[in-house]
Amino acid sequence: MTTTALPTALKEIKDEFLALEVPDRLQLLLEFSNELPELPERYRDHPNLFERVIECQSPVFIFVEVGDDDIVQLHATAPRESPTTRGFASILAQGLAGLTADEVIAVPDDYPQELGLSQAVSPLRVRGMTALLGRTKHQVTLKRHS
Amino acid sequence: MTVGFDDSATFADYAHPERLVSTEWLAEHLGEPGLAVVESDEDVLLYETGHIPTAVKIDWHTDLNDPVLRDFVSAERFAELLGRKGISRDTTVVVYGDKNNWWAAYALWIFTLFGHEDVRLLDGGRDKWIAEGREIVTTTFAPEPAEYPVVQRDDSTIRAFKDDVLEHLGHGPLIDVRSPEEYSGERTEIPGYPSESALRPGHIPSAASVPWARAAAPDATFKSREELDGIYKGEAGLREGDDVIAYCRIGERSSHTWFVLTHLLGFENVRNYDGSWTEWGSAVRVPITTGTERGEVPTA
């Protein structure tokens, strides 16, 4: 298996976190949390489309779309009372936006561990983000067209 | 004790009503000298989204657990943490948090291990404060640092280790406060997505199942003395004077039950087994039973 370079948006997010001192990384995660977009209208009334990520301590649900052009879009929803989980979902939604199915599948599984968050939020909690990425990739594999 | 107790009638029936304060009481006493307010949540970022004015954050994972050893922080680190949070040895500490004070009770239990005398819970926690439309702020409160002495934990009175549980087996009651599915040993993880867990499912033989949140009312306050007596003495069969050990997965939910049994119902010898199922369910040759029955303690 060849090592592929990290997609631009994911790389930028990683650099942004690592440029900060540990306490400020929490603030950046909170900003991501606040940026998690509302679900598009067409999905709001279809809770059955969403898969619960049970590895996360808080309820978070994801739904992955793979377009005809093989472009992946990740939708996620988590309650306001779970800002850490929302932050994780938001990082992935922004970082994976516009990538093809192949590119998403090639994202290293340990990307969440590279953000320098272990000390700020604890390794146990970072595992929730690893699970989010894993489930996203799994859905892409099932839904891709080629 | 620095700040007066909340002597409202609501708490009068509990064994130690001085361990609780109401949201009204806290709102009236905020900012009073000698009072510190601590928020402890499951979610490490929840405090940042808004908290009670003058509250400081103490996170169960990053502040109270040792980063290397599976244990709580050392006396030196605890003293440094509390000093940084503006807490002295004689400060009245009111802890509150999300999810029925789940993690707040854990923080309170750890404060108690270090012998901090006056530590109380905000009845109803974060949810009740917010539901009542009380003030929350997003600015991180930076208290004047205080001097906190280095005091060693007492791990022998309210904490149980695996060997203590083995000795206790067959001699005293155990309360398993996890969900019924965890108690019975029904597998819940999805293949291919291993969760951090134990190698074997089930429960410690003879343990009664009382999920921790049964002690909470829908508004996140504690249920009445009568209701709690009905659950723990009636259903679970605890008798006055019993030595009790409570456990869950890592000792957090059982801290909540420890609080209920000790401070609300007045049991004097309750220990929290913080190794809990993540240790017991992976240990070699400790007795385990599955199913919904309590099970017999093996006589070897």
Side-chain angles (χ1 to χ4, degrees), chain A residues 55 57 84 122 125 127 138, chain B residues 42-43 59-60 193 196:
Chain A
E55 294 89 340
Q57 292 182 344
T84 302
S122 90
R125 288 167 171 140
R127 267 187 232 171
H138 183 63
Chain B
E42 177 178 71
D43 193 301
D59 182 66
W60 68 277
Y193 297 97
E196 92 288 333

Side-chain angles (χ1 to χ4, degrees), chain B residues 7 55 61 70-71 94 107 115 131 159 163 165 185 210-211 217 230 251 259 285 292 299:
Chain B
D7 49 16
H61 213 289
R70 183 172 174 192
D71 201 354
V94 171
R159 185 179 187 191
D163 288 345
V165 179
V210 185
F259 182 89
R285 279 196 176 165
T292 54
T299 44

Side-chain angles (χ1 to χ4, degrees), chain B:
Chain B
M1 192 271 295
T2 316
V3 180
F5 296 127
D6 180 351
D7 49 16
S8 62
T10 330
F11 305 142
D13 288 338
Y14 297 130
H16 299 287
E18 73 278 8
R19 291 294 175 174
L20 288 175
V21 303
S22 64
T23 48
E24 293 80 14
W25 184 95
L26 186 59
E28 279 166 25
H29 288 78
L30 277 184
E32 211 165 281
L35 174 71
V37 184
V38 170
E39 174 161 341
S40 247
D41 299 313
E42 177 178 71
D43 193 301
V44 67
L45 269 178
L46 197 53
Y47 170 90
E48 278 80 2
T49 68
H51 52 266
I52 297 177
T54 75
V56 293
K57 172 170 99 169
I58 293 187
D59 182 66
W60 68 277
H61 213 289
T62 58
D63 289 326
L64 296 175
N65 274 270
D66 187 279
V68 179
L69 198 65
R70 183 172 174 192
D71 201 354
F72 305 115
V73 288
S74 65
E76 288 75 18
R77 273 184 77 139
F78 187 74
E80 184 276 322
L81 170 73
L82 266 64
R84 187 156 40 87
K85 301 293 177 180
I87 300 171
S88 316
R89 191 69 172 162
D90 61 353
T91 302
T92 295
V93 178
V94 171
V95 196
Y96 75 97
D98 60 349
K99 303 196 161 85
N100 302 328
N101 278 327
W102 172 349
W103 302 90
Y106 183 69
L108 181 144
W109 178 73
I110 292 172
F111 273 57
T112 308
L113 284 176
F114 283 103
H116 192 95
E117 200 177 306
D118 191 4
V119 54
R120 316 176 190 177
L121 276 187
L122 173 67
D123 196 28
R126 181 185 166 93
D127 291 347
K128 184 155 191 274
W129 182 275
I130 290 174
E132 290 170 346
R134 297 183 188 274
E135 186 185 6
I136 56 166
V137 294
T138 51
T139 44
T140 300
F141 179 60
E144 197 67 34
E147 279 294 319
Y148 198 90
V150 174
V151 182
Q152 297 304 321
R153 281 194 317 263
D154 172 5
D155 284 341
S156 64
T157 312
I158 62 167
R159 185 179 187 191
F161 296 93
K162 183 173 128 257
D163 288 345
D164 299 324
V165 179
L166 283 167
E167 265 176 47
H168 182 79
L169 260 185
H171 304 286
L174 284 150
I175 303 281
D176 183 317
V177 315
R178 298 171 301 157
S179 63
E181 294 77 20
E182 289 170 283
Y183 180 85
S184 69
E186 187 183 303
R187 287 194 177 272
T188 49
E189 72 263 26
I190 294 174
Y193 297 97
S195 50
E196 92 288 333
S197 188
L199 292 174
R200 295 297 167 100
H203 61 269
I204 303 177
S206 80
S209 167
V210 185
W212 70 282
R214 289 196 57 202
D219 67 350
T221 60
F222 287 104
K223 284 183 179 158
S224 70
R225 175 74 190 258
E226 200 186 337
E227 289 170 294
L228 294 174
D229 274 336
I231 294 169
Y232 294 96
K233 292 183 180 167
E235 292 175 37
L238 297 184
R239 284 171 311 201
E240 238 152 283
D242 271 347
D243 291 352
V244 188
I245 293 180
Y247 71 93
C248 57
R249 230 167 46 82
I250 55 168
E252 13 67 86
R253 288 172 284 183
S254 43
S255 301
H256 189 272
T257 299
W258 171 86
F259 182 89
V260 171
L261 295 177
T262 303
H263 292 314
L264 305 186
L265 298 185
F267 285 89
E268 281 170 13
N269 293 300
V270 185
R271 284 175 291 169
N272 179 19
Y273 168 39
D274 59 279
S276 277
W277 199 257
T278 48
E279 178 180 46
W280 195 273
S282 294
V284 176
R285 279 196 176 165
V286 296
I288 289 177
T289 189
T290 54
T292 54
E293 299 299 320
R294 292 185 190 184
E296 298 293 325
V297 176
T299 44

Side-chain angles (χ1 to χ4, degrees), chain A residues 24-144:
Chain A
D24 294 331
R25 291 178 194 167
L26 267 188
Q27 281 304 324
L28 180 59
L29 185 61
L30 184 62
E31 284 171 34
F32 273 102
S33 173
N34 290 332
E35 287 166 9
L36 182 69
E38 291 288 321
L39 291 181
E41 193 102 39
R42 62 187 186 281
Y43 294 133
R44 253 172 245 173
D45 299 321
H46 298 279
N48 51 328
L49 287 174
F50 285 77
E51 174 185 14
R52 175 161 184 182
V53 182
I54 53 158
E55 294 89 340
C56 287
Q57 292 182 344
S58 308
V60 52
F61 298 84
I62 61 162
F63 174 62
V64 176
E65 263 182 310
V66 183
D68 294 336
D69 50 3
D70 235 25
I71 298 292
V72 172
Q73 206 175 359
L74 168 66
H75 302 288
T77 175
R80 290 261 159 212
E81 294 72 37
S82 306
T84 302
T85 305
R86 285 177 64 87
F88 291 163
S90 177
I91 288 171
L92 290 181
Q94 293 186 35
L96 302 178
L99 298 187
T100 63
D102 278 339
E103 287 168 326
V104 171
I105 289 165
V107 171
D109 292 332
D110 61 358
Y111 174 74
Q113 278 95 56
E114 293 178 5
L115 300 176
L117 285 170
S118 291
Q119 219 185 322
V121 307
S122 90
L124 185 76
R125 288 167 171 140
V126 171
R127 267 187 232 171
M129 185 171 171
T130 310
L132 264 175
L133 177 61
R135 281 172 183 261
T136 302
K137 290 167 80 167
H138 183 63
Q139 283 202 18
V140 170
T141 312
L142 295 177
K143 291 175 183 174
R144 63 182 307 172

